[in-house]
Amino acid sequence: NGTVVTTSSQVTEWTDQSGSGNITTQAKIAASNDVTLTNNSINFNPAITFTGASGKELVGNAASNWSTNPITMFIVANDNGTTTSNSGLFVTGSPGPGLVVVSVGPPGLEIQSYQLDGNGCTSAATTTSISQYQIIRGVYTTGNDANGGSTSVNSKSEGAGAVSCTSLGGTSFEIGGRTAGGQSSRIFKGDIAEVIAYRGTLTATQIQQVESYLALKYGISLNQTSATDYLASNGTSKIWDATASAGYTGDIAAIGRDDNAGVNQKQSTSLNNSFMTIGLGTVASDNASNTNTFGTDKQFFAWSHNSQAATFSTATTTQIPSQINARMTRVWRAEENNGDVGNLQVKIKISNA
Protein backbone atom coordinates (compact mmCIF):
# COMPACT_ATOMS: atom_id res chain seq x y z
CA ASN A 1 0.00 0.00 0.00
CA GLY A 2 1.42 3.38 -0.94
CA THR A 3 0.80 6.61 -2.79
CA VAL A 4 -2.22 6.66 -5.07
CA VAL A 5 -1.79 8.84 -8.17
CA THR A 6 -5.05 10.29 -9.44
CA THR A 7 -6.49 12.63 -12.04
CA SER A 8 -9.66 14.21 -10.58
CA SER A 9 -9.98 11.16 -8.26
CA GLN A 10 -9.47 8.74 -11.19
CA VAL A 11 -6.70 6.33 -10.23
CA THR A 12 -3.75 6.02 -12.60
CA GLU A 13 -1.22 4.37 -10.29
CA TRP A 14 -0.97 2.72 -6.88
CA THR A 15 2.66 2.60 -5.79
CA ASP A 16 4.37 0.06 -3.57
CA GLN A 17 5.70 1.26 -0.21
CA SER A 18 7.30 -1.96 1.05
CA GLY A 19 10.82 -0.85 0.18
CA SER A 20 11.53 -4.41 -0.94
CA GLY A 21 12.36 -3.49 -4.52
CA ASN A 22 10.22 -6.39 -5.72
CA ILE A 23 7.90 -4.22 -7.77
CA THR A 24 9.59 -2.95 -10.93
CA THR A 25 6.49 -1.59 -12.64
CA GLN A 26 3.80 -0.23 -10.36
CA ALA A 27 0.11 -1.08 -10.61
CA LYS A 28 -1.12 1.25 -13.36
CA ILE A 29 -4.25 1.88 -15.40
CA ALA A 30 -5.56 4.49 -17.81
CA ALA A 31 -7.68 7.00 -15.90
CA SER A 32 -11.44 6.38 -15.87
CA ASN A 33 -14.43 6.72 -13.56
CA ASP A 34 -14.39 2.94 -13.10
CA VAL A 35 -11.35 2.96 -10.76
CA THR A 36 -11.42 5.91 -8.38
CA LEU A 37 -10.04 7.03 -5.04
CA THR A 38 -12.75 7.35 -2.38
CA ASN A 39 -11.64 9.52 0.51
CA ASN A 40 -12.79 8.62 4.02
CA SER A 41 -14.04 5.25 2.83
CA ILE A 42 -13.13 3.29 5.95
CA ASN A 43 -12.26 4.57 9.43
CA PHE A 44 -11.29 8.03 8.14
CA ASN A 45 -8.95 6.50 5.53
CA PRO A 46 -9.27 6.26 1.74
CA ALA A 47 -9.81 3.23 -0.48
CA ILE A 48 -9.86 2.48 -4.20
CA THR A 49 -13.33 1.85 -5.61
CA PHE A 50 -13.89 -0.48 -8.57
CA THR A 51 -17.21 -0.35 -10.45
CA GLY A 52 -16.80 -3.84 -11.89
CA ALA A 53 -16.60 -2.53 -15.47
CA SER A 54 -14.96 -4.95 -17.88
CA GLY A 55 -11.19 -4.61 -18.13
CA LYS A 56 -10.98 -1.91 -15.45
CA GLU A 57 -8.47 -3.19 -12.92
CA LEU A 58 -4.92 -2.28 -11.82
CA VAL A 59 -2.06 -4.19 -13.46
CA GLY A 60 1.58 -4.39 -12.41
CA ASN A 61 4.75 -6.42 -12.76
CA ALA A 62 7.05 -7.96 -10.17
CA ALA A 63 10.76 -8.68 -10.18
CA SER A 64 10.42 -12.47 -9.86
CA ASN A 65 7.95 -15.28 -10.47
CA TRP A 66 5.08 -15.36 -7.96
CA SER A 67 4.79 -19.16 -8.18
CA THR A 68 8.33 -20.01 -7.07
CA ASN A 69 7.60 -19.52 -3.34
CA PRO A 70 4.72 -19.80 -0.89
CA ILE A 71 2.59 -16.64 -0.82
CA THR A 72 0.85 -14.93 2.10
CA MET A 73 -1.65 -12.20 1.19
CA PHE A 74 -3.59 -9.72 3.34
CA ILE A 75 -6.32 -7.61 1.74
CA VAL A 76 -8.75 -5.11 3.27
CA ALA A 77 -11.78 -5.16 1.00
CA ASN A 78 -15.51 -4.53 0.84
CA ASP A 79 -17.56 -6.28 -1.85
CA ASN A 80 -20.36 -4.20 -3.35
CA GLY A 81 -22.14 -6.72 -5.53
CA THR A 82 -19.54 -8.63 -7.55
CA THR A 83 -21.45 -11.13 -9.68
CA THR A 84 -18.81 -12.43 -12.11
CA SER A 85 -17.17 -15.45 -10.53
CA ASN A 86 -13.38 -15.54 -10.14
CA SER A 87 -13.14 -11.75 -10.04
CA GLY A 88 -9.80 -10.90 -8.48
CA LEU A 89 -8.86 -8.99 -5.36
CA PHE A 90 -5.12 -9.61 -5.70
CA VAL A 91 -3.97 -12.21 -8.23
CA THR A 92 -0.70 -13.13 -9.90
CA GLY A 93 0.65 -14.85 -12.94
CA SER A 94 -1.14 -15.95 -16.06
CA PRO A 95 -3.05 -17.06 -14.01
CA GLY A 96 -1.14 -17.76 -10.83
CA PRO A 97 -1.93 -17.73 -7.10
CA GLY A 98 -4.39 -15.14 -5.84
CA LEU A 99 -7.54 -14.28 -3.90
CA VAL A 100 -10.79 -14.05 -5.87
CA VAL A 101 -14.52 -13.60 -5.32
CA VAL A 102 -16.51 -16.72 -6.23
CA SER A 103 -20.25 -16.39 -6.90
CA VAL A 104 -22.52 -19.41 -6.79
CA GLY A 105 -26.26 -19.44 -7.54
CA PRO A 106 -28.82 -17.95 -9.95
CA PRO A 107 -28.78 -14.22 -10.82
CA GLY A 108 -29.97 -12.12 -7.89
CA LEU A 109 -29.49 -15.00 -5.46
CA GLU A 110 -25.74 -15.48 -5.71
CA ILE A 111 -23.75 -16.49 -2.65
CA GLN A 112 -20.26 -14.99 -2.64
CA SER A 113 -17.11 -16.04 -0.87
CA TYR A 114 -13.40 -15.30 -1.06
CA GLN A 115 -11.30 -18.21 -2.30
CA LEU A 116 -7.78 -19.13 -3.36
CA ASP A 117 -7.47 -19.38 -7.13
CA GLY A 118 -5.60 -21.64 -9.51
CA ASN A 119 -5.70 -22.42 -13.19
CA GLY A 120 -9.35 -23.35 -13.63
CA CYS A 121 -10.41 -24.08 -10.06
CA THR A 122 -10.81 -22.44 -6.64
CA SER A 123 -10.36 -23.65 -3.08
CA ALA A 124 -10.57 -22.70 0.64
CA ALA A 125 -13.84 -20.73 0.59
CA THR A 126 -14.52 -18.21 3.36
CA THR A 127 -17.87 -18.28 5.18
CA THR A 128 -18.23 -14.73 6.57
CA SER A 129 -20.33 -12.24 4.61
CA ILE A 130 -18.18 -10.30 2.14
CA SER A 131 -20.58 -7.33 1.86
CA GLN A 132 -18.66 -5.24 4.38
CA TYR A 133 -15.01 -4.43 4.97
CA GLN A 134 -13.01 -7.44 6.14
CA ILE A 135 -9.35 -8.31 6.61
CA ILE A 136 -8.90 -11.31 4.32
CA ARG A 137 -5.83 -13.51 4.57
CA GLY A 138 -4.91 -16.03 1.87
CA VAL A 139 -1.99 -18.43 2.22
CA TYR A 140 -0.40 -20.74 -0.35
CA THR A 141 1.94 -23.14 1.43
CA THR A 142 3.49 -24.13 -1.90
CA GLY A 143 4.26 -21.77 -4.74
CA ASN A 144 1.96 -23.11 -7.42
CA ASP A 145 -0.90 -25.01 -5.78
CA ALA A 146 -3.78 -23.98 -3.47
CA ASN A 147 -3.89 -27.49 -2.02
CA GLY A 148 -2.88 -27.16 1.64
CA GLY A 149 -3.46 -23.41 1.61
CA SER A 150 -5.96 -21.49 3.74
CA THR A 151 -8.14 -18.42 4.07
CA SER A 152 -9.03 -16.38 7.14
CA VAL A 153 -11.27 -13.40 7.85
CA ASN A 154 -10.40 -10.94 10.63
CA SER A 155 -7.87 -13.48 12.00
CA LYS A 156 -10.44 -16.31 12.14
CA SER A 157 -9.54 -19.38 10.05
CA GLU A 158 -12.35 -20.17 7.62
CA GLY A 159 -11.24 -22.13 4.55
CA ALA A 160 -8.78 -24.95 3.93
CA GLY A 161 -7.33 -25.73 0.52
CA ALA A 162 -8.24 -29.37 -0.02
CA VAL A 163 -8.27 -29.29 -3.84
CA SER A 164 -5.23 -29.30 -6.10
CA CYS A 165 -5.48 -25.94 -7.91
CA THR A 166 -2.23 -25.56 -9.78
CA SER A 167 -1.03 -22.26 -11.23
CA LEU A 168 0.92 -21.20 -14.30
CA GLY A 169 3.10 -18.64 -12.59
CA GLY A 170 4.41 -15.45 -14.12
CA THR A 171 5.62 -12.06 -12.93
CA SER A 172 2.47 -10.02 -13.52
CA PHE A 173 -0.13 -9.18 -10.90
CA GLU A 174 -3.58 -7.58 -10.84
CA ILE A 175 -5.50 -5.69 -8.18
CA GLY A 176 -9.28 -5.64 -8.58
CA GLY A 177 -9.41 -8.15 -11.43
CA ARG A 178 -8.48 -11.57 -12.78
CA THR A 179 -8.32 -10.95 -16.53
CA ALA A 180 -5.48 -13.29 -17.60
CA GLY A 181 -6.47 -15.60 -20.41
CA GLY A 182 -8.84 -13.13 -22.02
CA GLN A 183 -11.27 -12.98 -19.07
CA SER A 184 -11.80 -9.20 -19.11
CA SER A 185 -15.15 -9.41 -17.29
CA ARG A 186 -13.65 -10.85 -14.10
CA ILE A 187 -13.51 -7.49 -12.32
CA PHE A 188 -14.13 -6.91 -8.62
CA LYS A 189 -16.97 -4.54 -7.73
CA GLY A 190 -16.28 -2.84 -4.43
CA ASP A 191 -13.54 -1.16 -2.41
CA ILE A 192 -9.96 -2.20 -1.69
CA ALA A 193 -8.17 -0.20 1.01
CA GLU A 194 -4.88 -2.11 1.28
CA VAL A 195 -3.00 -5.07 -0.18
CA ILE A 196 0.02 -6.72 1.48
CA ALA A 197 1.73 -9.68 -0.19
CA TYR A 198 4.74 -11.73 0.96
CA ARG A 199 6.65 -14.29 -1.07
CA GLY A 200 6.86 -16.77 1.77
CA THR A 201 5.08 -18.06 4.85
CA LEU A 202 4.84 -16.01 8.04
CA THR A 203 5.04 -17.11 11.66
CA ALA A 204 1.96 -16.83 13.86
CA THR A 205 3.44 -13.74 15.54
CA GLN A 206 4.20 -12.10 12.20
CA ILE A 207 0.63 -12.71 11.03
CA GLN A 208 -0.61 -11.22 14.31
CA GLN A 209 1.55 -8.12 13.73
CA VAL A 210 0.22 -7.55 10.21
CA GLU A 211 -3.41 -8.08 11.14
CA SER A 212 -3.06 -5.88 14.22
CA TYR A 213 -1.72 -3.09 12.02
CA LEU A 214 -4.68 -3.45 9.65
CA ALA A 215 -7.18 -3.66 12.52
CA LEU A 216 -5.78 -0.49 14.12
CA LYS A 217 -5.78 1.46 10.86
CA TYR A 218 -9.17 0.38 9.55
CA GLY A 219 -11.21 -0.10 12.74
CA ILE A 220 -11.88 -3.79 12.07
CA SER A 221 -12.12 -5.99 15.17
CA LEU A 222 -10.03 -9.14 15.10
CA ASN A 223 -11.88 -12.30 16.08
CA GLN A 224 -11.51 -13.10 19.78
CA THR A 225 -12.76 -16.71 19.85
CA SER A 226 -9.18 -17.33 20.90
CA ALA A 227 -7.86 -14.35 22.87
CA THR A 228 -5.60 -12.42 20.48
CA ASP A 229 -3.51 -9.39 21.44
CA TYR A 230 -3.08 -6.53 19.02
CA LEU A 231 0.69 -6.32 18.56
CA ALA A 232 2.87 -3.47 17.33
CA SER A 233 5.44 -3.96 14.58
CA ASN A 234 8.16 -5.07 17.03
CA GLY A 235 6.07 -8.12 17.96
CA THR A 236 6.13 -7.37 21.69
CA SER A 237 4.52 -3.98 22.40
CA LYS A 238 0.78 -4.26 22.81
CA ILE A 239 -1.79 -2.03 21.17
CA TRP A 240 -4.67 -3.86 22.89
CA ASP A 241 -4.20 -6.48 25.62
CA ALA A 242 -6.59 -9.42 25.20
CA THR A 243 -5.90 -10.86 28.66
CA ALA A 244 -6.42 -7.57 30.48
CA SER A 245 -9.55 -6.95 28.38
CA ALA A 246 -11.19 -10.32 29.08
CA GLY A 247 -14.94 -9.75 29.06
CA TYR A 248 -14.50 -6.55 27.03
CA THR A 249 -13.99 -7.78 23.48
CA GLY A 250 -16.79 -5.96 21.66
CA ASP A 251 -16.02 -3.45 18.89
CA ILE A 252 -12.28 -3.16 19.52
CA ALA A 253 -10.79 0.07 18.20
CA ALA A 254 -7.62 2.06 18.76
CA ILE A 255 -5.54 5.04 17.78
CA GLY A 256 -1.77 5.19 17.78
CA ARG A 257 1.53 5.61 16.04
CA ASP A 258 3.89 2.87 14.86
CA ASP A 259 6.70 4.27 12.72
CA ASN A 260 8.02 0.94 11.48
CA ALA A 261 4.53 -0.06 10.34
CA GLY A 262 3.99 3.33 8.74
CA VAL A 263 0.75 3.95 10.62
CA ASN A 264 -0.29 7.14 12.38
CA GLN A 265 -3.98 6.65 13.15
CA LYS A 266 -5.17 9.74 15.03
CA GLN A 267 -8.90 9.00 15.16
CA SER A 268 -10.92 5.84 15.01
CA THR A 269 -14.23 4.11 15.43
CA SER A 270 -15.24 0.47 15.24
CA LEU A 271 -16.37 -0.64 11.80
CA ASN A 272 -18.79 -3.04 13.50
CA ASN A 273 -20.59 -0.24 15.31
CA SER A 274 -19.75 3.46 15.00
CA PHE A 275 -21.44 4.32 18.30
CA MET A 276 -18.23 5.80 19.73
CA THR A 277 -15.46 7.71 17.95
CA ILE A 278 -12.28 8.86 19.68
CA GLY A 279 -9.73 11.26 18.23
CA LEU A 280 -6.38 12.64 19.32
CA GLY A 281 -7.31 16.17 20.40
CA THR A 282 -10.23 16.31 17.98
CA VAL A 283 -12.23 14.27 15.47
CA ALA A 284 -11.53 15.80 12.05
CA SER A 285 -13.17 15.10 8.70
CA ASP A 286 -10.57 12.40 8.01
CA ASN A 287 -7.39 11.04 9.55
CA ALA A 288 -5.06 13.15 7.40
CA SER A 289 -6.84 16.35 8.49
CA ASN A 290 -6.20 15.71 12.18
CA THR A 291 -3.05 17.79 12.80
CA ASN A 292 -2.40 16.58 16.36
CA THR A 293 0.62 14.38 17.05
CA PHE A 294 1.57 11.48 19.30
CA GLY A 295 4.51 12.17 21.56
CA THR A 296 6.46 9.03 20.76
CA ASP A 297 6.63 5.94 18.57
CA LYS A 298 4.48 2.93 19.53
CA GLN A 299 2.11 4.97 21.65
CA PHE A 300 -1.47 3.70 21.62
CA PHE A 301 -4.90 4.24 23.12
CA ALA A 302 -7.41 1.40 22.68
CA TRP A 303 -10.95 0.68 23.81
CA SER A 304 -13.57 -2.08 23.71
CA HIS A 305 -16.77 -2.97 25.53
CA ASN A 306 -18.58 -5.78 27.32
CA SER A 307 -21.00 -6.50 24.41
CA GLN A 308 -24.05 -5.43 26.40
CA ALA A 309 -26.84 -3.27 24.94
CA ALA A 310 -26.06 0.38 24.13
CA THR A 311 -29.65 1.46 24.74
CA PHE A 312 -31.62 2.68 27.72
CA SER A 313 -34.46 0.24 27.10
CA THR A 314 -32.41 -2.25 29.11
CA ALA A 315 -30.98 0.27 31.57
CA THR A 316 -29.59 -0.65 34.97
CA THR A 317 -29.56 1.26 38.25
CA THR A 318 -26.40 -0.36 39.60
CA GLN A 319 -23.02 1.34 39.90
CA ILE A 320 -24.27 4.89 39.32
CA PRO A 321 -23.78 8.16 41.24
CA SER A 322 -26.67 9.59 43.24
CA GLN A 323 -27.52 12.23 40.62
CA ILE A 324 -28.10 9.62 37.88
CA ASN A 325 -31.27 7.55 37.62
CA ALA A 326 -30.02 4.79 35.35
CA ARG A 327 -27.31 3.85 32.84
CA MET A 328 -27.00 1.55 29.87
CA THR A 329 -25.59 -1.91 30.57
CA ARG A 330 -22.78 -1.49 28.09
CA VAL A 331 -19.44 -0.70 29.74
CA TRP A 332 -16.26 0.29 27.92
CA ARG A 333 -12.72 -0.52 28.95
CA ALA A 334 -9.86 1.69 27.75
CA GLU A 335 -6.12 1.22 27.92
CA GLU A 336 -3.17 3.47 27.20
CA ASN A 337 0.17 2.00 26.21
CA ASN A 338 3.62 3.63 26.21
CA GLY A 339 2.75 6.88 27.95
CA ASP A 340 0.05 9.51 28.01
CA VAL A 341 -1.28 10.16 24.50
CA GLY A 342 -2.65 13.54 25.54
CA ASN A 343 -6.10 15.07 25.25
CA LEU A 344 -8.80 13.08 23.48
CA GLN A 345 -12.14 13.98 21.99
CA VAL A 346 -14.91 11.42 22.44
CA LYS A 347 -17.99 11.49 20.23
CA ILE A 348 -21.06 9.34 20.85
CA LYS A 349 -24.02 8.91 18.50
CA ILE A 350 -26.90 9.74 20.81
CA SER A 351 -29.37 8.55 18.17
CA ASN A 352 -28.00 5.04 18.67
CA ALA A 353 -28.82 4.98 22.38
Side-chain angles (χ1 to χ4, degrees):
N1 183 45
T3 302
V4 177
V5 181
T6 62
T7 301
S8 299
S9 81
Q10 298 175 347
V11 175
T12 57
E13 183 172 320
W14 195 3
T15 62
D16 171 46
Q17 71 169 18
S18 69
S20 63
N22 285 331
I23 308 303
T24 54
T25 303
Q26 310 298 344
K28 293 182 178 179
I29 190 172
S32 79
N33 287 323
D34 294 308
V35 184
T36 57
L37 182 67
T38 302
N39 291 314
N40 207 4
S41 177
I42 172 173
N43 200 36
F44 305 103
N45 290 303
I48 295 179
T49 299
F50 299 82
T51 65
S54 180
K56 297 297 184 178
E57 85 282 24
L58 295 169
V59 181
N61 195 57
S64 58
N65 196 309
W66 287 99
S67 293
T68 56
N69 296 296
I71 296 179
T72 305
M73 299 164 285
F74 303 86
I75 302 168
V76 178
N78 165 48
D79 181 83
N80 192 29
T82 302
T83 56
T84 303
S85 202
N86 296 327
S87 295
L89 292 177
F90 174 80
V91 296
T92 68
S94 55
L99 267 168
V100 297
V101 176
V102 175
S103 299
V104 178
L109 297 173
E110 297 96 345
I111 298 174
Q112 286 93 5
S113 63
Y114 296 121
Q115 298 191 32
L116 300 178
D117 193 24
N119 185 24
C121 68
T122 56
S123 184
T126 60
T127 57
T128 299
S129 170
I130 70 173
S131 60
Q132 68 180 61
Y133 272 110
Q134 310 282 9
I135 300 170
I136 310 108
R137 182 195 337 143
V139 177
Y140 287 76
T141 55
T142 57
N144 62 352
D145 197 338
N147 192 23
S150 63
T151 57
S152 300
V153 175
N154 302 340
S155 83
K156 179 186 177 184
S157 296
E158 294 206 348
V163 179
S164 182
C165 293
T166 57
S167 305
L168 299 179
T171 60
S172 63
F173 67 92
E174 299 178 59
I175 297 173
R178 162 66 96 188
T179 64
Q183 302 292 334
S184 61
S185 64
R186 292 181 175 178
I187 304 298
F188 176 69
K189 182 180 181 182
D191 309 291
I192 298 178
E194 189 148 349
V195 176
I196 301 173
Y198 294 89
R199 286 192 182 89
T201 55
L202 274 64
T203 66
T205 297
Q206 289 170 331
I207 289 172
Q208 195 173 347
Q209 290 170 253
V210 175
E211 293 183 335
S212 296
Y213 153 75
L214 294 172
L216 164 67
K217 185 173 180 179
Y218 296 110
I220 299 173
S221 295
L222 299 182
N223 184 273
Q224 294 297 318
T225 301
S226 176
T228 302
D229 293 329
Y230 284 31
L231 293 181
S233 61
N234 59 8
T236 55
S237 298
K238 293 184 180 181
I239 302 169
W240 179 82
D241 190 321
T243 300
S245 297
Y248 296 87
T249 58
D251 298 335
I252 306 164
I255 58 174
R257 169 185 156 193
D258 190 331
D259 294 346
N260 190 50
V263 64
N264 189 17
Q265 190 65 30
K266 292 173 280 188
Q267 53 193 52
S268 188
T269 189
S270 169
L271 184 69
N272 298 336
N273 187 333
S274 58
F275 181 87
M276 177 182 289
T277 301
I278 297 180
L280 183 64
T282 188
V283 175
S285 58
D286 56 38
N287 190 63
S289 299
N290 189 327
T291 59
N292 294 292
T293 58
F294 292 99
T296 187
D297 183 27
K298 294 180 180 59
Q299 191 171 63
F300 307 102
F301 182 90
W303 62 98
S304 53
H305 62 70
N306 62 353
S307 300
Q308 298 299 308
T311 65
F312 291 101
S313 60
T314 55
T316 179
T317 58
T318 63
Q319 295 179 306
I320 57 175
S322 57
Q323 312 95 296
I324 303 298
N325 294 324
R327 64 170 178 85
M328 64 179 65
T329 54
R330 177 169 295 183
V331 177
W332 281 265
R333 179 188 183 275
E335 63 181 90
E336 200 169 35
N337 292 308
N338 197 21
D340 184 357
V341 299
N343 293 331
L344 301 172
Q345 184 176 78
V346 180
K347 287 190 172 182
I348 295 175
K349 286 187 176 180
I350 299 300
S351 60
N352 288 14

